[in-house]
mmCIF file of all heavy atoms in Angstrom:
data_model
loop_
_atom_site.group_PDB
_atom_site.id
_atom_site.type_symbol
_atom_site.label_atom_id
_atom_site.label_comp_id
_atom_site.label_asym_id
_atom_site.label_seq_id
_atom_site.Cartn_x
_atom_site.Cartn_y
_atom_site.Cartn_z
ATOM 1 N N ALA A 25 72.007 144.018 248.264
ATOM 2 C CA ALA A 25 73.024 144.657 247.319
ATOM 3 C C ALA A 25 74.377 144.389 247.872
ATOM 4 O O ALA A 25 74.626 144.300 248.977
ATOM 5 C CB ALA A 25 72.681 146.147 247.273
ATOM 6 N N ALA A 28 79.950 147.823 248.303
ATOM 7 C CA ALA A 28 80.723 148.384 247.291
ATOM 8 C C ALA A 28 82.182 148.476 247.713
ATOM 9 O O ALA A 28 83.062 148.564 246.824
ATOM 10 C CB ALA A 28 80.202 149.972 247.079
ATOM 11 N N ALA A 33 86.329 139.212 244.988
ATOM 12 C CA ALA A 33 86.622 137.830 245.124
ATOM 13 C C ALA A 33 87.339 137.526 246.381
ATOM 14 O O ALA A 33 88.080 138.375 246.797
ATOM 15 C CB ALA A 33 87.294 137.124 243.827
ATOM 16 N N PRO A 36 92.767 135.123 244.582
ATOM 17 C CA PRO A 36 93.264 135.633 243.432
ATOM 18 C C PRO A 36 93.166 134.545 242.289
ATOM 19 O O PRO A 36 94.083 133.904 241.970
ATOM 20 C CB PRO A 36 94.671 135.953 243.683
ATOM 21 C CG PRO A 36 94.986 134.926 244.851
ATOM 22 C CD PRO A 36 93.779 134.784 245.582
ATOM 23 N N TRP A 54 101.182 114.691 228.144
ATOM 24 C CA TRP A 54 101.970 113.702 228.620
ATOM 25 C C TRP A 54 101.289 112.256 228.513
ATOM 26 O O TRP A 54 101.746 111.263 228.077
ATOM 27 C CB TRP A 54 102.576 113.909 229.980
ATOM 28 C CG TRP A 54 103.367 112.714 230.447
ATOM 29 C CD1 TRP A 54 104.699 112.433 230.328
ATOM 30 C CD2 TRP A 54 103.003 111.771 231.451
ATOM 31 N NE1 TRP A 54 105.172 111.449 230.943
ATOM 32 C CE2 TRP A 54 104.007 110.869 231.696
ATOM 33 C CE3 TRP A 54 101.765 111.555 232.073
ATOM 34 C CZ2 TRP A 54 104.020 109.827 232.461
ATOM 35 C CZ3 TRP A 54 101.661 110.411 232.955
ATOM 36 C CH2 TRP A 54 102.888 109.592 233.210
ATOM 37 N N LEU A 79 103.561 140.164 223.429
ATOM 38 C CA LEU A 79 102.508 141.320 223.274
ATOM 39 C C LEU A 79 101.575 141.271 224.427
ATOM 40 O O LEU A 79 101.132 142.418 224.877
ATOM 41 C CB LEU A 79 101.709 140.995 221.881
ATOM 42 C CG LEU A 79 102.468 141.364 220.624
ATOM 43 C CD1 LEU A 79 101.662 140.978 219.433
ATOM 44 C CD2 LEU A 79 102.790 142.850 220.557
ATOM 45 N N ALA A 88 99.124 147.734 234.085
ATOM 46 C CA ALA A 88 99.497 148.111 235.331
ATOM 47 C C ALA A 88 99.961 149.624 235.518
ATOM 48 O O ALA A 88 99.630 150.117 236.561
ATOM 49 C CB ALA A 88 100.784 147.161 235.572
ATOM 50 N N THR A 90 98.404 151.972 233.954
ATOM 51 C CA THR A 90 97.148 152.627 234.033
ATOM 52 C C THR A 90 96.645 152.600 235.464
ATOM 53 O O THR A 90 96.164 153.663 235.887
ATOM 54 C CB THR A 90 96.099 152.117 232.948
ATOM 55 O OG1 THR A 90 96.688 152.219 231.651
ATOM 56 C CG2 THR A 90 94.756 152.870 233.031
ATOM 57 N N PHE A 91 96.667 151.469 235.985
ATOM 58 C CA PHE A 91 96.175 151.243 237.359
ATOM 59 C C PHE A 91 97.069 152.123 238.391
ATOM 60 O O PHE A 91 96.460 152.681 239.324
ATOM 61 C CB PHE A 91 96.115 149.868 237.888
ATOM 62 C CG PHE A 91 94.991 149.029 237.427
ATOM 63 C CD1 PHE A 91 95.059 147.718 237.433
ATOM 64 C CD2 PHE A 91 93.822 149.820 236.944
ATOM 65 C CE1 PHE A 91 93.839 146.958 236.939
ATOM 66 C CE2 PHE A 91 92.658 149.098 236.550
ATOM 67 C CZ PHE A 91 92.736 147.674 236.509
ATOM 68 N N ALA A 92 98.342 152.095 238.166
ATOM 69 C CA ALA A 92 99.224 152.769 239.070
ATOM 70 C C ALA A 92 99.008 154.418 238.984
ATOM 71 O O ALA A 92 98.874 155.031 239.960
ATOM 72 C CB ALA A 92 100.701 152.485 238.688
ATOM 73 N N LEU A 99 95.196 143.935 241.899
ATOM 74 C CA LEU A 99 94.836 142.697 242.453
ATOM 75 C C LEU A 99 93.383 142.365 242.318
ATOM 76 O O LEU A 99 92.521 143.135 242.823
ATOM 77 C CB LEU A 99 95.309 142.709 243.915
ATOM 78 C CG LEU A 99 96.758 142.896 244.166
ATOM 79 C CD1 LEU A 99 97.044 142.875 245.518
ATOM 80 C CD2 LEU A 99 97.711 141.755 243.445
ATOM 81 N N ALA A 104 88.331 147.909 244.215
ATOM 82 C CA ALA A 104 88.819 148.918 243.418
ATOM 83 C C ALA A 104 88.490 150.309 244.041
ATOM 84 O O ALA A 104 87.523 150.515 244.767
ATOM 85 C CB ALA A 104 88.099 149.051 242.054
ATOM 86 N N SER A 105 89.444 151.227 243.918
ATOM 87 C CA SER A 105 89.200 152.640 244.361
ATOM 88 C C SER A 105 88.888 153.683 243.285
ATOM 89 O O SER A 105 88.265 154.734 243.487
ATOM 90 C CB SER A 105 90.396 153.091 245.158
ATOM 91 O OG SER A 105 91.529 153.198 244.302
ATOM 92 N N HIS A 106 89.273 153.323 242.033
ATOM 93 C CA HIS A 106 88.947 154.182 240.827
ATOM 94 C C HIS A 106 88.564 153.227 239.683
ATOM 95 O O HIS A 106 89.039 152.041 239.582
ATOM 96 C CB HIS A 106 90.141 154.970 240.481
ATOM 97 C CG HIS A 106 90.532 156.054 241.466
ATOM 98 N ND1 HIS A 106 91.343 155.852 242.595
ATOM 99 C CD2 HIS A 106 90.079 157.336 241.506
ATOM 100 C CE1 HIS A 106 91.442 156.943 243.311
ATOM 101 N NE2 HIS A 106 90.767 157.794 242.743
ATOM 102 N N ILE A 115 89.593 149.759 224.952
ATOM 103 C CA ILE A 115 89.422 148.701 224.006
ATOM 104 C C ILE A 115 88.745 147.480 224.591
ATOM 105 O O ILE A 115 87.794 146.936 223.844
ATOM 106 C CB ILE A 115 90.785 148.226 223.398
ATOM 107 C CG1 ILE A 115 91.557 149.401 222.816
ATOM 108 C CG2 ILE A 115 90.613 147.156 222.464
ATOM 109 C CD1 ILE A 115 92.978 149.211 222.667
ATOM 110 N N ALA A 150 86.355 130.099 232.480
ATOM 111 C CA ALA A 150 86.643 130.068 234.066
ATOM 112 C C ALA A 150 86.976 131.414 234.499
ATOM 113 O O ALA A 150 86.501 131.788 235.605
ATOM 114 C CB ALA A 150 87.757 129.115 234.424
ATOM 115 N N PHE A 154 84.687 133.196 237.385
ATOM 116 C CA PHE A 154 85.340 133.297 238.762
ATOM 117 C C PHE A 154 85.987 134.666 238.939
ATOM 118 O O PHE A 154 86.081 135.114 240.097
ATOM 119 C CB PHE A 154 86.411 132.248 239.030
ATOM 120 C CG PHE A 154 85.921 130.937 239.073
ATOM 121 C CD1 PHE A 154 85.929 129.985 238.126
ATOM 122 C CD2 PHE A 154 85.364 130.486 240.443
ATOM 123 C CE1 PHE A 154 85.479 128.613 238.225
ATOM 124 C CE2 PHE A 154 84.852 129.262 240.676
ATOM 125 C CZ PHE A 154 84.980 128.258 239.561
ATOM 126 N N SER A 155 86.119 135.438 237.827
ATOM 127 C CA SER A 155 86.855 136.747 238.175
ATOM 128 C C SER A 155 86.006 137.837 237.494
ATOM 129 O O SER A 155 85.638 138.898 238.270
ATOM 130 C CB SER A 155 88.208 136.663 237.466
ATOM 131 O OG SER A 155 89.122 135.798 238.087
ATOM 132 N N ARG A 161 80.080 142.797 239.204
ATOM 133 C CA ARG A 161 79.158 143.043 240.278
ATOM 134 C C ARG A 161 79.740 144.051 241.330
ATOM 135 O O ARG A 161 79.043 145.076 241.734
ATOM 136 C CB ARG A 161 78.639 141.884 241.036
ATOM 137 C CG ARG A 161 77.804 141.044 240.167
ATOM 138 C CD ARG A 161 77.204 139.799 240.951
ATOM 139 N NE ARG A 161 78.289 138.888 241.367
ATOM 140 C CZ ARG A 161 78.695 137.745 240.650
ATOM 141 N NH1 ARG A 161 78.180 137.608 239.434
ATOM 142 N NH2 ARG A 161 79.523 136.917 241.095
ATOM 143 N N LEU A 164 79.755 147.591 239.497
ATOM 144 C CA LEU A 164 78.463 148.136 239.488
ATOM 145 C C LEU A 164 78.041 148.693 240.953
ATOM 146 O O LEU A 164 77.508 149.735 240.992
ATOM 147 C CB LEU A 164 77.398 147.217 238.992
ATOM 148 C CG LEU A 164 77.469 146.968 237.585
ATOM 149 C CD1 LEU A 164 76.656 145.694 237.194
ATOM 150 C CD2 LEU A 164 76.717 148.081 236.867
ATOM 151 N N MET A 175 80.093 150.017 230.517
ATOM 152 C CA MET A 175 79.685 148.860 229.956
ATOM 153 C C MET A 175 79.049 148.919 228.631
ATOM 154 O O MET A 175 79.192 148.090 227.726
ATOM 155 C CB MET A 175 78.844 148.068 230.886
ATOM 156 C CG MET A 175 79.483 147.658 232.218
ATOM 157 S SD MET A 175 78.255 146.774 233.369
ATOM 158 C CE MET A 175 78.027 145.300 232.660
ATOM 159 N N ALA A 176 78.298 149.965 228.438
ATOM 160 C CA ALA A 176 77.431 150.239 227.202
ATOM 161 C C ALA A 176 78.389 150.542 226.052
ATOM 162 O O ALA A 176 78.053 150.218 224.909
ATOM 163 C CB ALA A 176 76.425 151.286 227.420
ATOM 164 N N THR A 178 81.953 149.765 225.956
ATOM 165 C CA THR A 178 83.131 148.949 225.875
ATOM 166 C C THR A 178 82.815 147.467 225.989
ATOM 167 O O THR A 178 82.192 147.097 226.972
ATOM 168 C CB THR A 178 84.166 149.456 227.033
ATOM 169 O OG1 THR A 178 84.332 150.835 226.955
ATOM 170 C CG2 THR A 178 85.519 148.782 226.790
#
Side-chain angles (χ1 to χ4, degrees):
W54 179 77
L79 289 170
T90 301
F91 279 162
L99 299 175
S105 58
H106 292 86
I115 303 162
F154 288 101
S155 297
R161 287 189 294 274
L164 278 167
M175 290 174 77
T178 309

